[in-house]
Amino acid sequence: MGEQPIFSTRAHVFQIDPTTKKNWVPTSKHAVTVSYFYDSTRNVYRIISLDGSKAIINSTITPNMTFTKTSQKFGQWADSRANTVYGLGFSSENNLLKFAEKFAEFKEAARLAKEKSQEKMELTSTPSQVAAVKKNVLPVLPKVPPKVPVRKKESATGDLQSPLTPESINGTDDERGTTPETPQYLPEPRAEPSQNQLPFSHSSSSINKHWEAELAALKGNNAKLTAALLESTANVKQWKQQLAAYQEEAERLHTRVTELECVSGQMTVIKSQKTELNQTIEELESALKSKEEELERLKEEVESANEFQTQKESLTQKLQETEERNQTLEAQLVELEQRLEGSQLEREAFRKSLRTLLELLDGKIFELTELRDSLARLIEGSSS
């Protein structure tokens, strides 16, 4: 066969719900191999993914397609031929960037291949068609499906519970500017004779510019939604449920690996499946370990918060006691000031009394001195 794989990666595969056109529906229970294939006979590129013997992705890359990174580990693109939207969840941002680079590269290659085929068709066109173009004969344009009117709805106000909801990945209907039922990519136009190429390519380029502007607005909205999504994943209860699911999945995969090892024949297929399962187990174990570490960290933070709360209550009680003692001391201080003021008044009155007594004593002493002198004179007089 002329189709060969040229790039492969691993991711969880999702498709938009065909009934609601809102929710993501997982098409693989675990991460599967997603590959780019090149068909040299038809000069086309395809994205193919198999889950066992079932093809869950079979999308031909066209120049009108665009791969949109809606978060750090999730991307999507619309396939108008399959009338669906594919979503891929990667284990790391690096894998997402590599896949997006390859998508852009092969999209450009598909565009160049389409232009070459159009040039060949123009060279092989009949002289009558060339004459019709020179005479400005209006070409018959292919019928383009009418544009579906936009139906705006109020954005969901519920809490984000899962990274797989379209609101967290694609934005709400208001943010997208179109309903999920409206395809975001027009079907690839069928090749027509050279007289029809110029008007249709002009219309296609204007449509591409319109959708590129829409995608730029979506990227800004998706960045905000990604921040809200990262905050919502801090639910410890949900992590415990996820850890239990990861453990059950790991046990099931270990059992599956043991069964595959016991099966004889088709060793290449078994080895490939075993490798995929081992990689999935490693991814799950790594995720489990990271969740356990995060859970331990949260427990430590909760314990620290409890200790801080206890210290806060103790300090609050001490502060209240200190305030009460301060009030008591202030009352005692006021009382002491009043007593001190009373003592000062008493001392001042006592000093005044002492001064009065000193003055009286001085007077009495002076009188006694005069009386002594008089007595001395009388004694002297009587002796003479």
Side-chain angles (χ1 to χ4, degrees), residues 7 9-10 67 69 71-74 90-102:
F7 177 78
T9 186
R10 291 181 60 81
F67 184 79
K69 294 178 286 184
S71 68
Q72 293 181 348
K73 297 182 181 180
F74 195 92
F90 296 89
S91 60
S92 65
E93 185 178 3
N94 188 25
N95 293 338
L96 173 61
L97 294 176
K98 289 182 180 179
F99 188 89
E101 291 175 358
K102 292 295 180 182

Side-chain angles (χ1 to χ4, degrees), residues 33-236:
T33 301
V34 182
S35 303
Y36 287 100
F37 280 79
Y38 175 65
D39 190 348
S40 59
T41 58
R42 296 187 298 163
N43 196 20
V44 296
Y45 295 86
R46 290 200 300 164
I47 302 175
I48 297 176
S49 178
L50 299 177
D51 189 5
S53 59
K54 178 183 177 182
I56 56 179
I57 297 179
N58 187 2
S59 177
T60 302
I61 300 176
T62 65
N64 294 331
M65 287 184 178
T66 300
F67 184 79
T68 305
K69 294 178 286 184
T70 58
S71 68
Q72 293 181 348
K73 297 182 181 180
F74 195 92
Q76 66 182 60
W77 78 95
D79 190 340
S80 59
R81 293 182 177 179
N83 193 22
T84 187
V85 180
Y86 293 103
L88 295 180
F90 296 89
S91 60
S92 65
E93 185 178 3
N94 188 25
N95 293 338
L96 173 61
L97 294 176
K98 289 182 180 179
F99 188 89
E101 291 175 358
K102 292 295 180 182
F103 193 99
E105 177 183 346
F106 299 145
K107 172 186 172 182
E108 180 67 17
R111 185 185 66 80
L112 295 176
K114 182 179 178 181
E115 291 179 354
K116 289 181 180 179
S117 65
Q118 290 177 353
E119 291 176 357
K120 290 180 180 179
M121 291 180 63
E122 291 176 358
L123 293 174
T124 57
S125 61
T126 61
S128 61
Q129 292 173 336
V130 175
V133 173
K134 291 182 179 180
K135 292 179 181 180
N136 295 325
V137 177
L138 293 176
V140 180
L141 295 176
K143 293 183 179 180
V144 179
K147 186 176 181 181
V148 180
V150 176
R151 294 184 301 170
K152 293 187 177 181
K153 300 179 181 179
E154 294 182 359
S155 60
T157 58
D159 295 335
L160 296 172
Q161 297 296 330
S162 172
L164 305 180
T165 59
E167 288 80 8
S168 63
I169 297 172
N170 298 331
T172 60
D173 292 341
D174 287 342
E175 292 167 347
R176 290 193 297 268
T178 179
T179 60
E181 297 176 358
T182 303
Q184 296 187 4
Y185 303 89
L186 294 176
E188 184 181 5
R190 187 175 56 187
E192 296 289 340
S194 61
Q195 61 183 359
N196 298 338
Q197 297 300 321
L198 294 175
F200 187 78
S201 61
H202 177 72
S203 175
S204 176
S205 63
S206 62
I207 292 172
N208 286 337
K209 290 180 180 179
H210 170 72
W211 290 117
E212 286 175 359
E214 291 289 336
L215 289 174
L218 283 175
K219 288 180 180 179
N221 294 331
N222 286 330
K224 298 177 181 178
L225 291 173
T226 302
L229 178 62
L230 293 176
E231 293 178 356
S232 67
T233 56
N235 191 328
V236 178

